[in-house]
Amino acid sequence: AMQEECGGINMKMNRFPCSIVWQPFPPLTWIIPMIGHTGICDSHGIVHDFQGPYYVEEGRMMLGKATRYLPLDPNKVRSSVEGNTAEERWDKCVDMGADDFRKKIHCLIYPNCNHHVAHTLNLMKYDGWNNYEMLQLWYIIFFRARFCGFKGFLISMGPFIVLGTIVNRMEIFMR
């Protein structure tokens, strides 16, 4: 029901309406697969991605296409922002979050793309909550987000699995 309200997902066009999108951030993701680069999409599926100091890109993620996505329900926006529909209120919060982060320096640790997405969810008071943080976002995405097909799974998890296998084999060999 939610996807009909927000429009359809189009993986080829990298459009994920009312969703959080994720992509690996090599080499960090290879070691800790929860760590990645995130963006948040408006109701038309256009990603808003905090990519650098004072810069939020619209329409394109920093490292290419999303490999995971988490569809969210715009009806769970509890913010008092104006809008005639849930999608209009969602989009208003996405724009406000982008505007706020266009005034911030970008850093690998803080503030980064994950803080931008968490801040936008907090502006929305998504699902009645306004305390989203980077670590919670990683957890939610890691355990609830969908892969963009098998290719998305391989790009997201493949290097970690290969690296883990090599380390495991080296450990066995060293005994």
Side-chain angles (χ1 to χ4, degrees), residues 53-106:
Y54 317 108
Y55 183 66
V56 177
E57 171 72 30
E58 292 181 21
R60 181 174 66 78
M61 290 189 80
M62 184 171 72
L63 302 170
K65 290 189 174 190
T67 60
R68 299 188 81 176
Y69 66 100
L70 180 63
L72 298 175
D73 185 347
N75 291 303
K76 292 185 176 183
V77 172
R78 302 290 183 251
S79 175
S80 59
V81 297
E82 290 187 27
N84 294 323
T85 65
E87 290 77 15
E88 285 180 16
R89 288 189 296 280
W90 175 280
D91 289 346
K92 182 85 162 177
C93 290
V94 169
D95 288 340
M96 289 168 49
D99 288 345
D100 289 346
F101 271 71
R102 286 186 181 105
K103 299 172 190 143
K104 294 186 182 281
I105 192 76
H106 185 283

Side-chain angles (χ1 to χ4, degrees), residues 22-46:
W22 184 94
Q23 58 190 184
F25 192 80
L28 294 176
T29 310
W30 301 350
I31 300 162
I32 305 168
M34 289 177 121
I35 295 177
H37 184 76
T38 58
I40 190 160
C41 299
D42 63 22
S43 65
H44 304 286
I46 306 296

Side-chain angles (χ1 to χ4, degrees), residues 1 11 59 83 90 113 155:
M11 287 185 208
W90 175 280
C113 59
I155 293 169

